[in-house]
Amino acid sequence: MLCSLLLLLLVCSTQATHFYGTVMTYYPKTPHTNGSIEVVLRYKLNFLSCDDSDSWTCFLGDCGTQSVELHKVEESSGEWCQREGVMTRQVPSNAPFYLELSGGNWINDVVNDISSWEALTLVELRNRSDTNEANRSPQTTILPALRVPSNCQRDFNLLAFDPDGDKVKCRYGNTSQSECNPCTPPSVLKLSPSCTLSFSPTDSSDEGPYVVQLVLEDIPQQNIILTHTNGSKELKTSNDPISKLPLQFVLRVDGMVPFCTEGLYLPKFLPPTPANRARLNTPVNQTIHIPISAEANTSKYVKK
Ligand SMILES: *[C@@H]1O[C@H](CO)[C@@H](O)[C@H](O)[C@H]1NC(C)=O
Ligand SMILES: *[C@@H]1O[C@H](CO)[C@@H](O)[C@H](O)[C@H]1NC(C)=O
Ligand SMILES: *[C@@H]1O[C@H](CO)[C@@H](O)[C@H](O)[C@H]1NC(C)=O
Ligand SMILES: *[C@@H]1O[C@H](CO)[C@@H](O)[C@H](O)[C@H]1NC(C)=O
Ligand SMILES: *[C@@H]1O[C@H](CO)[C@@H](O)[C@H](O)[C@H]1NC(C)=O
Ligand SMILES: *[C@@H]1O[C@H](CO)[C@@H](O)[C@H](O)[C@H]1NC(C)=O
């Protein structure tokens, strides 16, 4: 049995107060003969401190019963704490349902003026006519904060892969659909539907932290039919999203640096670091070693 492992390599780092965003993906199990199905939802919860926490609740539909485990993933010199949650839900049928995370507050002094957090996942488990299996969500992950000097052009290629072969579309959240509260996008970023965030050099008055609240959707390459446990069917065309996931984090626009060349002020990845978005295959239960190396000749940076 092989599982794929996706690598996210983005130049990044952090600091500051409370919520640092979240991301969620899901993995369905084979349905039971009585129609009930188990789904494993994996999420990241990012806060300033590991003492802070929040839990996902049922927003709409029958979310079934749940069991949750939280593991600490990474803590970087007390700047933030990222934890991974593994939530197993048993639902009575493959009917779609929504999970929500909501509370307050994001970190302080957010330039695009977001204080409350809200994130929404649409879990779609109906049987797909192309795979004969429950729909699987896109796969993605993110660090709590990304950084960029205000005078440097940077493209952030976000991780967006779909195990069913669907197109993955990235868009900003929509406030009236409760995808964030509110969803005001950062003025300093341009988002392409293929999940690249582009930052262009900007004025030093734009420096500071921005909250980025994205939604990822899987869209079939051609028409498919979703079949409910009770036999009812729904057509999804190549314009229709199937599931949706939140991808929320902080972008820090730092002070100017004298040079934008990678390897001087901005770190540069060195061989044998695998490429961003690389897919590595490994047998289940076998430890995988991933060598990562980077340099920045001038380790000092100008910070606001
Ligand atoms: C369906 O079967 C599973 C596995 O046998 C069981 O755990 C679950 O409680 C059953 N659900 C219902 C609604 O009967
Ligand atoms: C999906 O439907 C196909 C065809 O009806 C069936 O063979 C398959 O077992 C179903 N899969 C699941 C996961 O329900
Ligand atoms: C946001 O959602 C509302 C309600 O579903 C919809 O009418 C509106 O067009 C959406 N806005 C955007 C920008 O897609
Ligand atoms: C099957 O269940 C769905 C969701 O609960 C419902 O909307 C639909 O009317 C049901 N269809 C049939 C044929 O019972
Ligand atoms: C950084 O310094 C090393 C050693 O002096 C040099 O080989 C390398 O080319 C430098 N990197 C850049 C991007 O200037
Ligand atoms: C992986 O290891 C765990 C713990 O040793 C075991 O319970 C599980 O069955 C193993 N999974 C596979 C697919 O070998």
Side-chain angles (χ1 to χ4, degrees):
M1 194 170 157
L2 290 174
C3 69
S4 0
L5 202 140
L6 288 154
L7 276 192
L8 176 81
L9 290 174
L10 288 172
V11 174
C12 57
S13 176
T14 52
Q15 61 160 215
T17 329
H18 216 55
F19 192 59
Y20 266 103
T22 189
V23 55
M24 182 178 247
T25 57
Y26 69 81
Y27 305 83
K29 301 248 171 112
T30 309
H32 298 294
T33 43
N34 61 15
S36 81
I37 178 167
E38 247 170 52
V39 56
V40 178
L41 300 120
R42 290 183 171 265
Y43 57 96
K44 302 271 169 63
L45 267 184
N46 309 325
F47 285 97
L48 177 67
S49 150
C50 289
D51 298 335
D52 293 317
S53 201
D54 192 17
S55 44
W56 289 82
T57 55
C58 190
F59 182 74
L60 193 65
D62 188 339
C63 306
T65 57
Q66 67 159 7
S67 68
V68 178
E69 277 177 58
L70 265 180
H71 312 281
K72 192 187 293 183
V73 181
E74 195 177 351
E75 191 179 7
S76 114
S77 64
E79 293 185 41
W80 42 258
C81 173
Q82 181 172 64
R83 276 172 304 170
E84 182 181 49
V86 181
M87 182 199 297
T88 305
R89 287 193 169 266
Q90 167 123 22
V91 283
S93 78
N94 62 12
F97 63 91
Y98 291 81
L99 295 173
E100 180 198 40
L101 186 75
S102 80
N105 291 328
W106 280 82
I107 58 168
N108 290 339
D109 305 323
V110 168
V111 184
N112 54 333
D113 216 15
I114 313 282
S115 56
S116 300
W117 72 75
E118 175 149 33
L120 194 64
T121 301
L122 166 56
V123 183
E124 174 59 81
L125 299 173
R126 281 180 290 173
N127 192 340
R128 298 170 62 114
S129 55
D130 56 347
T131 62
N132 281 335
E133 284 179 7
N135 182 62
R136 290 175 288 182
S137 75
Q139 291 180 14
T140 187
T141 190
I142 195 70
L143 288 150
L146 306 180
R147 277 174 53 189
V148 62
S150 63
N151 60 324
C152 296
Q153 159 71 43
R154 296 295 272 169
D155 281 346
F156 300 101
N157 294 309
L158 303 175
L159 194 57
F161 167 78
D162 190 89
D164 297 323
D166 297 326
K167 279 180 293 185
V168 182
K169 181 183 159 191
C170 287
R171 59 174 175 81
Y172 286 112
N174 182 329
T175 311
S176 54
Q177 291 184 32
S178 302
E179 291 168 349
C180 20
N181 177 26
C183 295
T184 320
S187 56
V188 294
L189 287 176
K190 278 215 171 65
L191 174 66
S192 79
S194 57
C195 303
T196 298
L197 276 172
S198 300
F199 176 85
S200 298
T202 185
D203 201 84
S204 59
S205 60
D206 294 331
E207 288 165 12
Y210 291 80
V211 165
V212 185
Q213 302 172 106
L214 304 178
V215 173
L216 266 62
E217 294 171 326
D218 46 348
I219 297 173
Q221 307 270 4
Q222 56 211 18
N223 291 0
I224 61 163
I225 289 164
L226 296 180
T227 306
H228 188 280
T229 311
N230 66 13
S232 70
K233 294 181 190 296
E234 188 186 342
L235 174 71
K236 292 278 179 185
T237 72
S238 52
N239 292 318
D240 299 328
I242 307 173
S243 64
K244 68 179 180 187
L245 307 176
L247 179 64
Q248 303 188 352
F249 58 96
V250 168
L251 174 78
R252 278 186 182 283
V253 179
D254 288 334
M256 299 201 298
V257 293
F259 300 100
C260 293
T261 319
E262 287 186 0
L264 293 171
Y265 290 84
L266 297 173
K268 177 186 185 174
F269 288 110
L270 302 172
T273 309
N276 186 31
R277 290 180 170 173
R279 288 177 66 195
L280 311 177
N281 288 319
T282 179
V284 168
N285 275 0
Q286 189 171 302
T287 307
I288 179 169
H289 294 278
I290 302 168
I292 294 174
S293 146
E295 74 169 4
N297 282 0
T298 315
S299 57
K300 276 191 289 184
Y301 59 91
V302 190
K303 211 171 71 178
K304 201 182 168 186

